[in-house]
Amino acid sequence: MAETSTATHLATTEKTSLLRVITYAGAIIAFLIGSGFATGQEILQYYASYGFWGVFGTGLLVLVLISYVAVELFLTGRREQFEKPSRVFYYYGGKYLGTFFDYFSILFVFLSFTVMIAGAGAVFEEHYGLSKFIGGIALAAVVCATVWFGLTSLVDVIGKIGPVIVIVAIALGVYGIMRDPEGISTGVDVLPSLDVTQASSNWFLSGLSYVGFCMLWLAAFLAALGKTVKNRREATAGGFVGGIAFSLACMVVGLGLLANIGEVFDAEIPMLVLASSLGPWIGALISVMILAGIYTTAIPLLWTVSSRFFDDKTKKFKYVTIALAVLGTIIGLVLPFSQMVNIIYVINGYVGIVLLALMIVRTIREVATRTAG
């Protein structure tokens, strides 16, 4: 008993590493910054399309809930040490709802991977004037090769790319705002006359749906990553920093798009419209950033699906990864990118809201039990 107590104390009091906190936060950010965020299509539909309330109302709602979700999943993964990441759904939903979320999330995560393929194809087609098949197939090949090497290399890669993408995205959003200081108020005025695709009927439901689909992405990935966290403080700090940084980035980019809504409302890649106004070289650099953002999200999405069936790094894991990459490429190059974002993300976002509710209920019960004890 004394040895166990000492080990627990050491694990709890181990010095927190700022680098590890930043890496964990970066992994969260990079996971969430996929083709939807990096291209601006996601932010346009969930934030900017609702005007001021969309940017700030949705933004603050997402900030609070995503930060809570990230910390909770990190801590739960670290504490429970799930044999399989998918067990996190049973932890919150019990046998029946857990089974539903387990299988539903795998389908959704796979479909989200197809959205990444579509996003890469859209960038190649709209910006480079090349066939979308080149972009989609190239992304699938690179992602497949990365997933081949497992979760450890995953975190090393995406944890360091994520913060860079956020900084560039924020800079582009700030440029969009400063390009025309009165553009935001003008954008709010003209918004009702534009045919802008929205994620929901109002900003509040849009925010909940946004958190919902992000949760179905994050649940298994963060439960698995939580097993590697050294101590509780790193898990908490990494979750908060990642959630807050991502949410603030969404709001800044949302304002930038709102300020230029007349130019970007019907574009497949709104961020490239802003970037190209700075000059062709800037547009070229931003297109690379967008592809990097798609890449960092596509990796854990594909890994999550493959790891649901076979253990990481086994031969069967690698074979199923190749098969899923091929299937995802075929599906992702059929429908238009913006249409896929609106259909797949929004529908699954509402299902994710149920998981969010279950998570909050479980947290409240645990807090009440500890308080009573």
Side-chain angles (χ1 to χ4, degrees):
M1 289 292 291
E3 292 182 359
T4 302
S5 177
T6 301
T8 302
H9 176 72
L10 288 173
T12 304
T13 58
E14 182 180 345
K15 187 176 180 180
T16 300
S17 166
L18 178 60
L19 179 60
R20 283 198 297 264
V21 169
I22 293 174
T23 300
Y24 293 140
I28 294 171
I29 294 167
F31 196 174
L32 294 175
I33 297 178
S35 62
F37 176 95
T39 61
Q41 189 60 239
E42 187 178 293
I43 304 303
L44 180 64
Q45 294 188 25
Y46 281 89
Y47 289 78
S49 63
Y50 301 96
F52 281 122
W53 275 108
V55 174
F56 294 107
T58 300
L60 293 175
L61 180 64
V62 170
L63 186 150
V64 172
L65 293 179
I66 282 291
S67 299
Y68 157 73
V69 165
V71 172
E72 173 67 12
L73 289 173
F74 255 141
L75 292 177
T76 299
R78 177 177 178 272
R79 182 179 64 249
E80 299 298 324
Q81 294 289 303
F82 297 113
E83 182 180 348
K84 286 186 174 293
S86 59
R87 297 306 301 177
V88 69
F89 296 113
Y90 298 86
Y91 176 81
Y92 290 111
K95 179 180 179 181
Y96 298 108
L97 280 177
T99 300
F100 167 75
F101 280 114
D102 184 4
Y103 288 100
F104 182 86
S105 67
I106 290 300
L107 174 61
F108 167 56
V109 168
F110 175 69
L111 290 175
S112 297
F113 171 71
T114 69
V115 175
M116 301 304 120
I117 298 295
V123 172
F124 270 68
E125 190 172 53
E126 189 165 294
H127 184 70
Y128 298 112
L130 299 173
S131 170
K132 65 179 182 180
F133 292 97
I134 296 176
I137 293 171
L139 176 73
V142 175
V143 169
C144 189
T146 307
V147 173
W148 186 280
F149 295 102
L151 182 62
T152 302
S153 63
L154 254 174
V155 177
D156 290 340
V157 172
I158 70 174
K160 293 174 176 59
I161 293 177
V164 175
I165 298 174
V166 165
I167 292 171
V168 175
I170 290 176
L172 195 55
V174 170
Y175 162 72
I177 298 169
M178 297 181 65
R179 185 183 176 199
D180 179 6
E182 297 181 0
I184 296 176
S185 58
T186 302
V188 172
D189 292 336
V190 303
L191 197 57
S193 64
L194 301 175
D195 185 20
V196 186
T197 302
Q198 294 182 321
S200 187
S201 58
N202 59 74
W203 67 265
F204 186 78
L205 285 177
S206 175
L208 288 179
S209 175
Y210 193 64
V211 174
F213 90 72
C214 286
M215 280 188 65
L216 291 178
W217 274 6
L218 289 171
F221 179 67
L222 289 188
L225 188 56
K227 294 173 66 173
T228 70
V229 176
K230 299 295 184 181
N231 58 59
R232 185 181 179 88
R233 283 177 296 179
E234 285 185 1
T236 303
F240 271 124
V241 172
I244 292 172
F246 173 72
S247 301
L248 291 177
C250 288
M251 285 190 274
V252 173
V253 173
L255 284 174
L257 293 178
L258 181 59
N260 298 271
I261 195 69
E263 297 175 50
V264 304
F265 78 96
D266 59 350
E268 286 285 294
I269 318 290
M271 293 292 272
L272 276 180
V273 175
L274 287 183
S276 297
S277 66
L278 281 167
W281 285 104
I282 298 296
L285 289 174
I286 296 302
S287 70
V288 174
M289 182 210 76
I290 290 173
L291 290 172
I294 295 172
Y295 168 72
T296 61
T297 297
I299 296 169
L301 289 175
L302 184 58
W303 177 88
T304 298
V305 181
S306 297
S307 65
R308 174 61 182 81
F309 299 104
F310 300 106
D311 291 334
D312 194 7
K313 291 188 178 180
T314 62
K315 285 186 177 180
K316 290 182 178 180
F317 171 87
K318 294 178 178 181
Y319 293 149
V320 79
T321 294
I322 295 174
L324 289 170
V326 171
L327 179 60
T329 302
I330 294 172
I331 296 173
L333 294 174
V334 172
L335 294 175
F337 171 58
S338 58
Q339 187 177 343
M340 292 188 72
V341 169
N342 190 256
I343 294 173
I344 295 175
Y345 285 9
V346 173
I347 292 176
N348 292 283
Y350 288 125
V351 176
I353 293 173
V354 179
L355 179 61
L356 174 64
L358 292 172
M359 183 181 288
I360 292 174
V361 169
R362 174 106 192 194
T363 300
I364 293 173
R365 287 177 176 173
E366 290 176 352
V367 171
T369 300
R370 287 197 295 267
T371 304

